């Protein structure tokens, strides 16, 4: 490849063997302009796309010797003789053709018939082989619009026929014919998968896998675990993980600065804690400290369940930078979350003897100028803030560590601006409070090293979760009154801010008015459309205990930490996603007292909504909840396709092939270690794979991350 031989992010050009697969779809037989347009709606623009658009289902046909053997409703192929035509007696009625096998009859039914076509295809007295779905109608066997009408000399339809996904204007026959033609263009490339993996998994070659996947012999061949499909999925995952491994290598090449902290500040904080750190916290801090001690730039994702103690890990990571003579910054996506972090980190920073400051868009005038000057002079060790921390006038004395919370809410440009704040690019720690199943974490964040917090700190109380119909709302408010009278603090979360014509979901404003009428001055309202000052005042009242019931929208979903709050009421819980419900419930159970989460739903519940609420009642394990969410909704919906950065796989199924993703990641990293320039025979084959999977684009696009 052009330039440095070890740099495959500047590819030479597509190998000629792949040229036929990248021609226009219209070069395939049977694909004219209209069919090409219909294919484009499915994302199929070239033969290569068609090869990776595998059958989504199949039709099992049973060959019958006689009609009496049929078990309606089922797909059958049977030989019959045409005995009678019954043309429609009125407009809109079907044309019926009665056929017999000599003992029993079946009626073929045609709506919107073309009489000349029917009489030519099914002349009276002639024998025909018909194939389609046989059903009973008024006790009589019938077949509506047979799939096949054949003469004895015609080849019979397969016992199992693949069914392709279609868009308007396409038929199964057009798709099947085009797929066969595309397969004829596929080369037999050198093997890019490790031979040991091929042998262990029993996978066919790439070309044989394509042929088998497009000609399934039964429903088992449509399974993600079928050898042909598993191999084609692995090809996609390997190409994707190769790209991420290259991006990771490129990031690590950008020289960092070694920050070998001596542990003295961390020891002060750990000694001040009311209970010991969890094993997961200890492990994560050790992984981060080891990365920071290296002169390679750290790029690590810290993923933790609700209440797993990410804040402490972030603070201890920041102290590594300060022990090394530098500074740290924590950037959060919202003002509420930034101020929450500052409040939570302040006592820990004080225990270490380190100065912490908060900076948001609201800070103005002399106070802001003083913070900026102290930051420049190195008198502030840790800065916590919103995107205000990346404004041009914000200068650090020596920024060593940048921590980004809820990374998915920030764009690449903002991360780059933060990176530019250090003397050299600072180490980067990305945090997410949303548990992500491992397969998604590897696909979305595969260029980052991963630390997972999967234990809850000592002292965390379990949360009792109950489901209650909104027809029993009076019981909920009666129990809530008793709890508030006893000094409890509670959240009441509503899905919308104000009443809407198009939705019957209760609005936060309306619910606030109703609860204020019942409970008086102890109720406050908080939502995203309020002025920031009003929001902060309401939050401050709740934290101080002046307010005991906080009516809110999902603005409190992440980061809000009031240990005294022990009750979470979620109204119309069925309208929230699993991840949101889990985050909202995580706002309670943060102190020493037992906590309750009340899921109020509006009956009747759909099966999926009932399943969501049941899993919430069963478990507090965020990773199990996230896995269930993935299985129920799919990868794009779980993360949110628009901003997820998730690759669009045509064959691979992240819900069911998580093991293959982990295997591909390991394989890609090992190959780059052994063959950094991808010059070996397998390295050259992997280059071809990356061209086939269009990862040349991905390398160029993703290289700025």
């Amino acid at each position: 490849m052009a330039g440095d031989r070890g740099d495959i992010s500047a590819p030479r050009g597509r190998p000629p063997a792949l040229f036929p697969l990248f021609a226009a779809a219209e070069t395939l037989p049977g694909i004219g302009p209209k069919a090409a347009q219909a294919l484009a709606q499915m994302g199929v623009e070239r033969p290569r796309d068609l090869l990776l658009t595998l059958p989504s289902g199949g039709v099992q046909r049973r060959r019958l010797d006689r009609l009496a053997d049929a078990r309606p409703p089922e797909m059958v192929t049977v030989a019959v003789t045409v005995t009678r035509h019954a043309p429609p007696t009125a407009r809109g009625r079907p044309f019926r053709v009665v056929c017999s096998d000599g003992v029993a009859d079946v009626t073929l039914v045609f709506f919107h018939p073309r009489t000349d076509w029917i009489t030519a295809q099914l002349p009276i007295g002639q024998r025909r082989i018909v194939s389609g779905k046989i059903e009973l109608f008024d006790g009589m066997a019938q077949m509506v619009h047979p799939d096949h009408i054949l003469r004895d000399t015609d080849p019979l339809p397969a016992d199992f026929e693949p069914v392709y996904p279609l868009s308007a204007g396409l038929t199964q026959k057009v798709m099947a014919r085009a797929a066969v033609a595309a397969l004829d263009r596929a080369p037999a490339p050198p093997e890019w998968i490790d031979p040991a993996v091929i042998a262990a998994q029993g996978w066919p070659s790439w070309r044989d896998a394509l042929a088998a996947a497009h000609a399934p012999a039964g429903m088992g061949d449509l399974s993600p675990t079928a050898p042909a499909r598993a191999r084609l999925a692995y090809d996609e995952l390997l190409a994707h993980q190769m790209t991420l491994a290259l991006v990771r290598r490129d990031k690590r090449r950008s020289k960092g600065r070694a920050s070998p902290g001596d542990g003295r500040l961390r020891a002060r904080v750990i000694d001040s804690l009311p209970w010991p750190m969890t094993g997961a916290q200890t492990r994560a801090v050790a992984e981060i400290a080891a990365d920071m001690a290296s002169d390679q730039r750290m790029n690590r994702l810290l993923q933790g369940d609700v209440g797993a103690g990410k804040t402490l890990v972030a603070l201890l990571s920041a102290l590594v930078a300060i022990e090394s003579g530098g500074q740290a910054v924590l950037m959060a996506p919202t003002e509420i979350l930034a101020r929450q972090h500052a409040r939570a980190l302040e006592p820990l920073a004080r225990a270490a003897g380190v100065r912490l400051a908060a900076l948001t868009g609201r800070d103005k005038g002399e106070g802001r100028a003083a913070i900026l000057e102290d930051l420049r002079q190195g008198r502030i060790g840790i800065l916590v803030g919103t995107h205000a921390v990346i404004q041009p006038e914000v200068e650090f004395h020596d920024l060593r560590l940048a921590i980004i919370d809820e990374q998915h809410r920030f764009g690449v440009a903002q991360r780059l601006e933060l990176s530019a704040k250090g003397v050299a690019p600072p180490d980067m720690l990305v945090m997410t409070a949303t548990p992500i199943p491992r397969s998604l974490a590897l696909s979305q964040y595969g260029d980052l090293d991963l630390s997972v917090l999967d234990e809850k700190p000592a002292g965390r109380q379990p949360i009792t979760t109950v489901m209650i119909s909104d027809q029993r709302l009076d019981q909920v408010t009666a129990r809530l009154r008793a709890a508030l009278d006893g000094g409890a603090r509670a959240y009441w979360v509503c899905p919308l801010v104000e009443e809407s014509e198009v939705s019957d979901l209760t609005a936060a404003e309306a619910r606030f008015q109703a609860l204020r009428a019942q409970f008086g001055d102890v109720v406050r309202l908080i939502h995203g459309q309020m002025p920031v000052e009003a929001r902060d005042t309401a939050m401050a009242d709740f934290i101080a205990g002046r307010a005991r019931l906080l009516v809110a929208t999902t603005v409190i979903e992440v980061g809000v930490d009031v240990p005294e709050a022990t009750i979470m009421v979620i109204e119309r819980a069925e309208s929230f996603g699993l991840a949101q419900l889990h985050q909202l419930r995580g706002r309670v159970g943060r102190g020493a007292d037992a906590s309750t989460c009340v899921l109020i739903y509006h009956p009747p519940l759909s099966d999926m909504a009932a399943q969501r609420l049941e899993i919430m009642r069963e478990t507090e394990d965020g990773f199990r909840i996230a896995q269930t969410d993935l299985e129920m909704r799919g990868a794009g919906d779980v993360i949110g396709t628009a901003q997820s950065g998730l690759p669009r796989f045509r064959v691979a199924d992240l819900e069911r092939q998580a093991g293959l993703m982990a295997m591909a990641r390991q394989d890609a990293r090992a190959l780059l270690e052994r063959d950094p320039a991808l010059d070996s025979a397998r390295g050259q084959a992997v280059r071809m794979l990356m061209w086939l999977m269009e990862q040349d684009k991905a390398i160029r696009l993703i290289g700025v991350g």
Side-chain angles (χ1 to χ4, degrees):
M1 303 213 168
D4 171 15
R5 284 175 54 110
D7 174 16
I8 86 156
S9 63
R12 263 194 226 108
R14 186 178 294 125
L18 296 180
F19 287 177
L21 296 183
F22 284 83
E26 287 179 63
T27 60
L28 292 168
I31 305 296
K34 281 189 179 173
Q37 204 172 355
L39 282 170
Q41 288 174 358
M42 298 165 52
V44 175
E45 296 179 349
R46 293 146 313 182
R48 169 256 180 214
D49 304 332
L50 193 58
L51 283 182
L52 298 177
T53 303
L54 301 184
S56 55
V59 176
Q60 189 82 52
R61 297 178 190 277
R62 203 158 64 90
R63 297 187 192 190
L64 303 182
D65 292 326
R66 52 192 192 136
L67 286 165
D69 295 334
R71 298 190 289 268
E74 71 166 331
M75 303 294 291
V76 301
T77 302
V78 62
V80 292
T81 300
V82 180
T83 58
R84 183 164 58 88
H85 287 177
T89 53
R91 189 170 180 178
R93 306 290 293 172
F95 194 119
R96 299 177 188 275
V97 178
V98 182
C99 303
S100 171
D101 66 355
V103 178
D105 289 349
V106 63
T107 302
L108 310 183
V109 181
F110 299 89
F111 291 95
H112 311 297
R114 278 181 24 230
T115 303
D116 53 344
W117 181 86
I118 292 172
T119 52
Q121 290 291 315
L122 294 158
I124 293 172
Q126 292 290 308
R127 178 181 149 97
R128 290 290 183 265
I129 296 164
V130 293
S131 186
K133 189 175 189 178
I134 197 164
E135 300 171 290
L136 290 180
F137 182 73
D138 286 345
M140 305 291 289
Q142 72 171 24
M143 189 182 288
V144 178
H145 289 279
D147 298 332
H148 301 276
I149 300 171
L150 306 168
R151 293 175 170 77
D152 283 336
T153 53
D154 294 330
L156 290 177
D159 291 347
F160 187 83
E161 277 186 323
V163 172
Y164 287 92
L166 298 176
S167 64
L170 288 174
T171 65
Q172 290 297 332
K173 283 179 183 172
V174 167
M175 283 291 284
R177 186 179 173 204
V180 168
L183 197 57
D184 286 343
R185 297 186 182 188
E191 185 55 75
W192 44 68
I193 298 179
D194 186 331
V197 172
I198 291 275
Q201 300 293 329
W203 287 340
S205 70
W206 177 70
R207 210 181 176 293
D208 288 348
L210 282 172
H214 282 279
M219 293 304 284
D221 289 345
L222 300 173
S223 162
T225 57
R229 288 205 172 215
R231 188 250 143 84
L232 295 172
Y234 189 76
D235 293 336
E236 280 191 302
L237 299 175
L238 179 60
H240 173 64
Q241 287 297 320
M242 280 302 304
T243 295
L244 291 176
L246 285 159
V247 171
R248 176 174 177 267
R249 182 175 77 179
D250 190 53
K251 281 180 177 175
R252 292 171 78 91
R253 276 180 175 170
S254 64
K255 267 298 200 203
R257 291 168 71 204
S259 298
D262 55 16
R264 62 194 159 78
L265 300 181
R266 279 169 282 165
R268 288 183 201 167
V269 171
I270 292 166
D271 290 344
S272 74
L273 296 174
W275 44 64
M277 291 167 63
T278 65
Q281 285 175 315
T282 303
R283 183 176 65 244
V285 171
E287 289 167 348
I288 291 162
D291 279 2
M292 292 178 69
S294 156
D295 63 359
Q296 288 187 321
R297 189 175 170 223
M298 175 174 77
N299 281 284
R300 185 169 283 277
L301 172 68
L302 176 64
Q303 190 189 353
D305 200 350
V306 170
K310 286 183 303 301
T311 306
L312 177 59
V313 173
L315 185 277
L316 293 173
S317 304
L319 292 180
V320 176
I322 295 163
E323 288 166 359
S324 308
Q327 295 165 293
V329 62
L330 191 159
M331 185 164 76
T334 66
E335 186 135 0
I336 281 187
L337 193 47
R339 296 205 174 276
Q340 176 69 53
H341 276 314
R343 269 198 304 272
L345 291 169
E346 172 59 41
L348 297 170
R350 209 178 318 119
V354 169
R355 185 173 164 203
L356 177 145
L359 184 69
T360 68
R362 263 182 35 203
D363 294 301
K364 301 276 192 293
E366 289 180 13
R368 177 185 172 82
I371 289 173
L372 295 181
E373 180 58 26
D374 287 349
L375 197 64
R376 242 189 319 271
Q377 298 300 329
R379 292 191 286 267
I380 292 172
I382 303 171
L383 182 68
V384 179
T386 56
H387 58 275
V389 303
I390 58 175
Q391 289 170 351
E393 65 271 24
V394 179
E395 294 175 25
F396 292 84
H397 178 67
D398 182 7
L399 181 62
R400 297 285 189 107
L401 174 66
I403 304 170
I404 298 181
D405 194 26
E406 294 303 310
Q407 181 269 347
H408 63 276
R409 303 198 195 182
F410 291 107
V412 169
Q414 289 166 311
R415 297 204 301 277
L416 284 175
E417 284 176 58
L418 195 51
S419 291
K421 292 287 184 186
V423 179
D427 288 321
M428 189 75 73
L429 179 65
V430 168
M431 300 200 300
T432 174
T434 308
I436 305 171
R438 183 165 170 76
S439 58
L440 288 194
L442 293 184
S443 62
Q444 192 192 14
Y445 300 114
D447 55 316
L448 305 178
D449 294 305
L450 189 62
S451 292
V452 177
L453 298 180
D454 50 9
E455 302 171 53
K456 286 203 174 178
R460 284 290 169 123
Q461 297 292 321
I463 302 168
T464 303
T465 301
V466 294
M467 291 166 57
I468 295 179
S469 159
D470 58 9
Q471 291 160 359
R472 295 165 58 197
L473 203 58
D474 290 349
Q475 292 176 32
V476 175
T477 53
R479 290 189 187 179
L480 189 57
R481 177 180 291 282
L484 295 181
D485 288 347
R489 270 179 252 178
Y491 299 100
W492 188 300
V493 175
C494 302
L496 289 179
V497 175
E498 53 194 26
E499 293 289 2
S500 162
E501 292 289 327
V502 295
S503 170
D504 64 346
L505 297 183
T506 305
E509 293 273 6
R511 180 56 63 205
F512 167 67
Q513 298 295 347
L515 292 172
R516 187 79 178 245
Q518 276 184 276
F519 298 126
D521 193 42
V522 297
V523 188
R524 296 288 186 279
L525 174 66
I526 183 170
H527 60 70
Q529 294 174 26
M530 291 167 67
V532 174
E533 291 80 1
R535 212 161 58 199
D536 278 359
T537 301
M539 198 74 217
D541 286 349
F542 188 63
I543 290 166
R546 291 186 292 273
R548 292 205 298 281
L549 178 58
L550 189 66
V551 179
T553 57
T554 54
V555 72
I556 63 154
E557 178 186 335
V558 173
V560 173
D561 186 5
V562 182
E564 296 81 5
T566 55
I567 300 168
M568 169 61 72
V569 179
I570 305 174
E571 192 166 355
R572 295 305 297 266
E574 78 279 6
S575 70
F576 292 94
L578 263 177
Q580 267 193 323
L581 289 172
H582 181 60
Q583 289 294 337
L584 289 168
R585 178 172 61 182
R587 299 311 103 210
V588 297
R590 306 176 84 84
D593 297 327
S595 291
T596 305
C597 177
V598 182
L599 304 174
I600 300 179
Y601 65 90
H602 182 68
L605 285 175
S606 68
D607 288 347
M608 188 170 271
Q611 198 179 335
R612 276 203 308 273
L613 299 189
E614 284 294 345
I615 192 80
M616 287 296 296
R617 196 164 65 172
E618 279 175 31
T619 184
E620 284 184 61
D621 180 345
F623 288 95
R624 186 178 158 206
I625 287 169
Q627 187 60 43
T628 303
D629 203 15
L630 176 62
E631 287 160 7
M632 286 172 70
R633 294 197 297 148
D637 289 327
V638 167
I639 289 183
T641 307
Q643 82 282 7
S644 70
L646 272 182
R648 182 173 176 270
F649 296 122
R650 289 181 179 271
V651 180
D653 181 336
L654 289 180
E655 290 95 291
R656 294 169 186 82
Q657 293 175 314
L660 290 185
M661 177 66 89
M663 199 162 86
R665 183 193 202 214
Q666 198 175 354
D667 192 3
R669 289 188 172 190
L671 177 60
L672 269 186
E673 287 290 322
R674 287 195 309 271
D675 181 14
L678 295 185
D679 277 340
S680 65
R682 187 181 170 214
Q684 294 288 342
V686 165
R687 292 182 184 218
M688 189 174 202
L689 167 68
M690 293 180 74
W691 275 109
L692 176 69
M693 296 301 174
E694 298 187 298
Q695 294 298 301
D696 52 304
K697 282 187 200 169
I699 292 165
R700 286 193 283 264
L701 285 174
I702 212 166
V704 297

